[in-house]
Amino acid sequence: MTDRYAVIGNPIAHSKSPLIHAAFAAQTGEPIEYGRILGNPEDFAGDVRRFVAEGGRGLNVTVPFKTDAFELLEDLSDRARSAGAVNTLIVRDGGLLRGDNTDGVGLLRDLTENHGFALAGKRVLLLGAGGAARGVLRPLLEASPARLLIANRTAAKAEALAAEFSHAAAAGDFALSTPAVAKVAVTAEGVVDSRAGAIATDAEPGRGKAQQPASRQPTSVALQGGGLDALVGERFDLIINATSSGLEGRVPEIPADCLAEGGWVYDMLYADQPTPFCRWGQARGAARALDGLGMLVEQAAESFWLWRAVRPDTAPVIARLRGG
Ligand code: ATR
C-alpha cells in the first residue's frame, strides 16, 4: 500500500520538497506518494487533522507554519524543542502525532559530510537571530566550535538568543543520545563548556549515520550574541547567513574583512544563481561559498529517515536539483 506524505506551507507552489521526496522514493523503492498542501493561515490545526483523517503518514511543515506546528504538538523531539519549531510531523500508529526538526542536522550534514568542513575548534559567525538561526544553534554548539558569535541587525535579539541557549546548556538540555557525551556548563560570560562531539540526533534506535563523535575531549564553545557593529576587528573561519536579507537581494552589513583567510561562507538560502551572500563571500576570497540547497536536501533525507527508517543517498538528488 502506498503511504501518503505532503509538505504544508503558504505559499507552497514553489516548494522543491515533492521533487526531492519523489527522487528518494524512486531511489529506495519505498512505496510513498508526496504531495503539497496550501495551508490555511487561519486553521493550520484543521488542515493537519484533515490530512491525518484521510490516512496521511507524515508532513513537512514550512513557512509560515513551523511555530504553529510546534505549538500544536505535545510530543516533541529535543531538536524541535530547542529549535522552537517543527518541520517534520510524524503520524504514529493509532494517529498519535510527533514533531521533530531536521533543519539543523541538515545544515550540519551538508557542511561536514558533503563538503568536509570540520567545525571543531573553528571560529563561527552566525548571522541572524530569527527562526532560521535558532533552528541551527543547538547542532552548531554540539559540533564544538571554539567560538560561536550570533550577530544580528537588531542586537538585542542576538543577545537574547545567546543568553537563552547558554541557560539551556547550563540546565543540561544539550544531553545527547551518545552515552559517552557529557553535559555542558556555562560561565557567567556565557562560555559553554561542551563535551559534545556528535551531530545531534535524538535517541531512537538505529538513528543516523551521522553519529560520529568528532572528539570526546572536553572543548569550550564561547557563545556570544551582539549587533553587526560588534564585528569590527573580528575574524571567522565560517560565516553562516541565517538572515532573510537575500530575499530582498541584500546582504547584512558586516565588515569586509571579518572572513578569515581560507574561510568559508554558507548561505542558508538557495537560488538558481549564486545568492547575494555567496557573491559577497566570493568577492572576499572565501575558499568555499555554499548555498542552502544541500541543507534542503539533507533535511528532507532526515525526514524521510524518520518516516521510513531508510536513508536515501542525497548526492545524486542534490546534483539533479543543481541541473547537473
Ligand atoms: P526566519 O524565520 O527566516 O529566520 P525571521 O524570524 O523573520 O525569519 O528573521 C529574519 C532575520 O533576518 C532576522 O534576524 C533579521 O534581522 P532583524 O532581527 O534585525 O530584523 C534578519 N534580516 C532580514 N533582513 C535583513 C537585512 N537586510 N540585513 C540584515 N539582517 C536582516
Side-chain angles (χ1 to χ4, degrees), residues 63 127-134 151-155 157 228 241-248 250-253:
V63 179
L127 295 171
R134 172 185 293 271
N152 193 43
R153 183 174 60 183
T154 310
K157 282 206 242 170
L228 301 179
N241 181 27
T243 75
S244 53
S245 59
L247 299 176
E248 315 151 3
R250 302 166 68 112
V251 295
E253 288 174 20

Side-chain angles (χ1 to χ4, degrees), residues 71-264:
E71 280 156 20
L72 179 69
L73 301 177
E74 282 172 21
D75 182 11
L76 295 165
S77 70
D78 287 349
R79 303 189 294 199
R81 280 185 208 285
S82 64
V86 163
N87 82 332
T88 306
L89 185 152
I90 303 139
V91 183
R92 303 255 208 220
D93 291 338
L96 294 176
L97 306 183
R98 178 169 169 84
D100 204 332
N101 193 309
T102 64
D103 286 329
V105 78
L107 169 70
L108 268 282
R109 289 223 174 107
D110 192 40
L111 252 178
T112 62
E113 296 187 17
N114 296 344
H115 296 287
F117 188 87
L119 270 155
K122 295 291 189 337
R123 298 164 294 177
V124 178
L125 170 61
L126 179 64
L127 295 171
R134 172 185 293 271
V136 298
L137 208 39
R138 173 183 145 149
L140 280 175
L141 283 170
E142 287 170 344
S144 298
R147 172 169 194 216
L148 180 55
L149 176 60
I150 309 167
N152 193 43
R153 183 174 60 183
T154 310
K157 282 206 242 170
E159 286 159 9
L161 196 54
E164 185 188 327
F165 272 72
S166 295
H167 185 74
D173 256 6
F174 283 77
L176 299 181
S177 55
T178 315
V181 174
K183 300 262 174 89
V184 292
V186 179
T187 69
E189 295 79 43
V191 175
V192 180
D193 176 17
S194 163
R195 275 105 173 149
I199 294 174
T201 58
D202 287 344
E204 284 184 19
R207 289 278 303 276
K209 64 176 180 179
Q211 291 185 347
Q212 298 160 342
S215 158
R216 295 200 186 279
Q217 298 304 310
T219 56
S220 285
V221 185
L223 174 63
Q224 294 159 314
L228 301 179
D229 52 355
L231 297 172
V232 175
E234 299 279 5
R235 297 280 179 285
F236 298 91
D237 306 302
L238 172 67
I239 306 180
I240 299 170
N241 181 27
T243 75
S244 53
S245 59
L247 299 176
E248 315 151 3
R250 302 166 68 112
V251 295
E253 288 174 20
I254 62 175
D257 59 357
C258 67
L259 184 67
E261 206 180 322
W264 290 31

Side-chain angles (χ1 to χ4, degrees), residues 33-44:
E33 68 174 52
Y34 188 107
R36 58 181 101 217
I37 298 171
L38 181 64
N40 177 356
E42 306 301 316
D43 191 20
F44 173 73

